[in-house]
Amino acid sequence: MPVSQLDIISGLGGKLMPAHVFTPFKSFYGNCYDRLYYAFKDKFDRIPAVELGLSSDTNFADTIGELSGKTFLSNSDAHSIEKIAREYNRISLKAPDFENLFDAVNDSSEMNVLHHAKKQELADVVGEAIASNIILSRQGLLQLQAGGGGHYGKIII
């Protein structure tokens, strides 16, 4: 089924990005496949990104070889009114169209922000305190507890 969905989406000019790939019991890795490649086979290179799920450990996901080169996204969905938009992607676009949206998603991945954005660029978007914590984390000076298994990561103070 995923391959036929990919063909339909591609045929309409879209791009397929599997969501919640690590959600236990319901996801590609949690329930369906040992490797995402098995779902898409020779069309796997047409999958540009995956949505990990809010409680996923991004560092762990980054150790899975087949995900190398894929953009990681993390978004909330509308299971209940109090959780709508608890996490979202704020994106600046050159123009409000699909191609610019897709380019921005690939250029604004979480790893790019965490590892490469300048402190002032971060502060302009998230404020000085969070920007400072990101810089401290890059320097190995911020103690973090990784998330995963239904728990969110957090800063240890």
Side-chain angles (χ1 to χ4, degrees):
M1 183 162 75
V3 173
S4 64
Q5 289 175 348
L6 176 59
D7 291 335
I8 292 167
I9 292 167
S10 297
L12 294 170
K15 301 197 187 291
L16 178 68
M17 294 180 246
H20 309 306
V21 296
F22 288 112
T23 302
F25 312 115
K26 300 178 185 177
S27 68
F28 282 99
Y29 288 117
N31 187 43
C32 300
Y33 299 96
D34 291 333
R35 294 184 59 207
L36 197 57
Y37 173 84
Y38 296 152
F40 301 100
K41 308 225 186 292
D42 61 335
K43 298 177 184 181
F44 182 66
D45 61 337
R46 292 171 44 194
I47 304 295
V50 294
E51 196 278 333
L52 300 175
L54 290 177
S55 60
S56 296
D57 183 337
T58 304
N59 290 325
F60 172 74
D62 206 31
T63 68
I64 298 174
E66 72 174 353
L67 296 179
S68 176
K70 307 283 186 209
T71 297
F72 294 157
L73 300 171
S74 185
N75 296 287
S76 63
D77 43 8
H79 291 293
S80 56
I81 194 70
E82 66 272 2
K83 294 182 180 176
I84 290 177
R86 67 181 173 183
E87 189 166 327
Y88 60 92
N89 296 293
R90 183 176 180 181
I91 300 172
S92 296
L93 301 175
K94 294 176 185 172
D97 60 28
F98 181 76
E99 286 305 317
N100 279 287
L101 173 64
F102 186 73
D103 288 345
V105 165
N106 279 330
D107 293 341
S108 302
S109 71
E110 177 181 314
M111 290 297 138
N112 184 48
V113 170
L114 291 177
H115 296 291
H116 304 294
K118 293 179 175 66
K119 184 177 180 183
Q120 190 56 52
E121 292 174 316
L122 295 168
D124 289 346
V125 176
V126 299
E128 187 65 35
I130 293 174
S132 293
N133 283 337
I134 291 172
I135 299 302
L136 287 173
S137 179
R138 284 181 189 168
Q139 298 168 343
L141 301 174
L142 189 65
Q143 190 174 3
L144 302 172
Q145 179 178 332
H151 294 67
Y152 299 106
K154 61 184 176 181
I155 296 171
I156 299 172
I157 299 175

